[in-house]
Amino acid sequence: MPYSLSETEPPMSDVKSSLKQSFLDSLKRHRDAFTTVEAYHEQAMQLLEAVQNCLKQGGKVVWMGNGGSAADSQHLAAEFMVRYKAERGPLASIALTTDTSILTAHANDYHFDSVFERQVLGLVRPQDVVIGLTTSGKSPNINLALKAANDLGAFTVALTGRDGGLVKDIAKLPIIVKNDETARIQEVHMFIGHWLCEALDLAIVGNN
């Protein structure tokens, strides 16, 4: 049944007060999460160096994630392929989350745990960078894919959260956002992703 207002709803003034407090509480948790971001500067620089080396060698940046992290993956792949701010050529990048035929065929014929691993085995080369976004670090399909990428000689990165889960021991570069709230972790992941795009723009424009 579609949601509808009823006589049992609390007074609108109470609802507005609760919503305002929710907004402020959420903003505070966002700000608290970002007080830790400076600690990831060195790892972000390592990520930038790996991506620059990858692109110089003719490689590509491969992204993957589940749910909101799937959306973030294709968002960042689009920033690479189209543009972020600077007018530049496309930067080779792909998200493994966007081909519904591959995703549904593999999940139906095999298992969803290996849906990204299969694509990594078919697409990834040693000069590539493979980035998995998993807020828990426990996503089997991300972890299996990163293991496969390691075996192929690619450089693997995990944007993760909480305590890093299993993925912290799989990715060559784990970046662990030490927070327990999924939304806040994803917001920091997108900050790092957008900064990476900006840094690449600056490097390319500077070189030209």
Side-chain angles (χ1 to χ4, degrees):
M1 293 261 317
Y3 174 80
S4 62
L5 294 174
S6 72
E7 293 181 358
T8 60
E9 293 290 325
M12 187 55 68
S13 59
D14 292 346
V15 172
K16 287 183 177 179
S17 177
S18 295
L19 291 175
K20 179 180 179 180
Q21 190 58 51
S22 170
F23 179 89
L24 295 175
D25 289 346
S26 183
L27 180 59
K28 182 180 185 304
R29 296 196 305 275
H30 172 87
R31 287 171 171 163
D32 289 345
F34 271 75
T35 62
T36 68
V37 171
E38 190 172 348
Y40 312 131
H41 171 256
E42 183 177 338
Q43 293 161 307
M45 292 299 293
Q46 292 176 43
L47 172 59
L48 172 61
E49 182 180 4
V51 169
Q52 286 181 300
N53 290 337
C54 156
L55 296 172
K56 286 176 183 176
Q57 296 173 45
K60 59 187 174 297
V61 180
V62 179
W63 307 83
M64 56 189 166
N66 294 290
S69 294
D72 292 343
S73 294
Q74 65 189 72
H75 177 155
L76 291 166
E79 303 281 24
F80 272 56
M81 286 295 294
V82 183
R83 69 172 180 177
Y84 183 63
K85 294 180 181 178
E87 291 296 338
R88 53 157 172 77
L91 305 178
S93 189
I94 186 173
L96 303 183
T97 57
T98 57
D99 192 320
T100 54
S101 294
I102 290 176
L103 297 175
T104 54
H106 187 88
N108 184 65
D109 293 353
Y110 297 103
H111 198 287
F112 194 69
D113 284 358
S114 53
V115 72
F116 297 136
E117 178 189 34
R118 182 78 167 190
Q119 293 183 73
V120 164
L121 292 172
L123 296 171
V124 168
R125 301 293 178 264
Q127 63 267 35
D128 295 340
V129 170
V130 180
I131 304 175
L133 285 73
T134 165
T135 59
S136 68
K138 299 176 182 177
S139 304
N141 55 8
I142 299 295
N143 293 345
L144 285 172
L146 290 176
K147 287 178 182 177
N150 283 337
D151 291 342
L152 291 168
F155 188 85
T156 54
V157 181
L159 291 176
T160 187
R162 296 180 170 85
D163 64 358
L166 299 173
V167 80
K168 70 178 182 296
D169 298 317
I170 298 171
K172 294 175 182 175
L173 176 60
I175 302 177
I176 305 168
V177 179
K178 296 187 183 301
N179 195 291
D180 292 325
E181 189 176 357
T182 297
R184 306 291 84 85
I185 297 167
Q186 290 172 330
E187 287 161 7
V188 176
H189 287 175
M190 283 306 298
F191 171 82
I192 293 170
H194 278 151
W195 172 79
L196 177 62
C197 295
E198 180 172 306
L200 289 167
D201 275 3
L202 288 170
I204 292 166
V205 170
N207 287 337
N208 289 336

